[in-house]
Amino acid sequence: ILNVEQSPQSLHVQEGDSTNFTCSFPSSNFYALHWYRWETAKSPEALFVMTLNGDEKKKGRISATLNTKEGYSYLYIKGSQPEDSATYLCAFRSNFGNEKLTFGTGTRLTIIP
Amino acid sequence: DSGVTQTPKHLITATGQRVTLRCSPRSGDLSVYWYQQSLDQGLQFLIQYYNGEERAKGNILERFSAQQFPDLHSELNLSSLELGDSALYFCASSTDRDRSPLHFGNGTRLTVT
């Protein structure tokens, strides 16, 4: 069983503040790490797919880093806006055996205006 | 709009019944994934198909089965339904089974009474 853990479970951030949260995954047999944003009443949308140790990806005010050797990825949001309120999911794919994409339970982010 | 179509949007049925959930992937996508989201649970991987062949299997019950047809649409069959099968079922597609992001449909909300 692959353990993909996200912390914190939920987070309240003042509008304009920056924030970050963590995704932990197995440090062996790494293949890819995905980040998704899931807004209420919608379906998850892909933010990043990260494949190399040390990878940094950026999309507007959102960025992510990857450390495959220690098994973690950080997602950063700079200058939070109300529209950033969502659940952020990470998902891990191993290069060993079953190729399924395993999701964490997410970090629920609420931006306080 | 992700381009992934799931039907029906809502389904209410009784215990012991059988239902079929349908998914049309995004144009050009060969991979189809099925996920289940129960109350207070994350996305649980059920099964993945690639170009008509089963590629990965997750925690899919024996009462559940799926297939991907030559036109790449997929169906998830749920039989002998139990109350605990009530959940949101997502289909997602991607261009291949490697490092592409998943594109999610809007889900089918199944309620078993």
Side-chain angles (χ1 to χ4, degrees):
Chain A
I1 296 176
L2 295 174
N3 281 330
V4 180
E5 295 181 358
Q6 293 188 246
S7 61
Q9 213 169 26
S10 66
L11 194 53
H12 289 75
V13 173
Q14 205 69 41
E15 182 179 350
D17 286 353
S18 296
T19 188
N20 65 86
F21 26 91
T22 309
C23 172
S24 301
F25 51 85
S27 57
S28 57
N29 302 118
F30 175 87
Y31 192 76
L33 193 282
H34 296 218
W35 280 101
Y36 293 83
R37 175 168 59 202
W38 191 359
E39 295 179 66
T40 304
K42 295 188 177 180
S43 52
E45 285 183 23
L47 288 171
F48 308 114
V49 177
M50 308 180 80
T51 57
L52 296 173
N53 185 43
D55 241 357
E56 285 191 35
K57 301 260 185 178
K58 191 173 177 183
K59 192 174 185 177
R61 294 177 294 96
I62 302 177
S63 60
T65 60
L66 179 68
N67 183 325
T68 61
K69 296 192 185 310
E70 294 181 46
Y72 65 84
S73 175
Y74 293 135
L75 190 81
Y76 299 90
I77 302 178
K78 190 176 175 183
S80 304
Q81 299 297 308
E83 59 265 29
D84 296 329
S85 294
T87 296
Y88 291 83
L89 299 169
C90 68
F92 169 79
R93 175 169 269 159
S94 167
N95 63 5
F96 176 77
N98 194 313
E99 296 172 16
K100 65 179 183 178
L101 191 61
T102 301
F103 279 83
T105 51
T107 292
R108 182 183 223 115
L109 176 66
T110 304
I111 306 302
I112 305 163
Chain B
D1 183 10
S2 68
V4 178
T5 305
Q6 284 188 253
T7 56
K9 280 187 181 177
H10 301 278
L11 202 46
I12 302 174
T13 189
T15 54
Q17 295 298 306
R18 173 191 166 95
V19 296
T20 297
L21 281 52
R22 184 189 166 100
C23 170
S24 293
R26 220 171 50 133
S27 177
D29 285 358
L30 299 179
S31 260
V32 169
Y33 301 73
W34 286 98
Y35 284 87
Q36 177 194 56
Q37 194 219 0
S38 304
L39 198 64
D40 295 333
Q41 299 260 332
L43 287 169
Q44 299 296 313
F45 173 73
L46 295 177
I47 198 162
Q48 181 207 351
Y49 284 86
Y50 176 77
N51 202 20
E53 291 186 9
E54 183 185 301
R55 279 300 184 186
K57 211 164 185 175
N59 301 321
I60 188 166
L61 299 171
E62 282 191 19
R63 300 183 285 109
F64 295 1
S65 64
Q67 54 183 325
Q68 186 180 27
F69 294 86
D71 67 352
L72 301 177
H73 92 270
S74 178
E75 292 181 357
L76 180 67
N77 301 297
L78 315 176
S79 60
S80 303
L81 284 167
E82 301 174 0
L83 295 177
D85 298 327
S86 295
L88 188 54
Y89 291 85
F90 280 107
C91 166
S93 71
S94 71
T95 54
D96 58 40
R97 58 189 174 89
D98 288 342
R99 290 160 171 161
S100 310
L102 268 57
H103 301 272
F104 283 83
N106 289 328
T108 292
R109 168 76 64 188
L110 172 67
T111 303
V112 183
T113 61

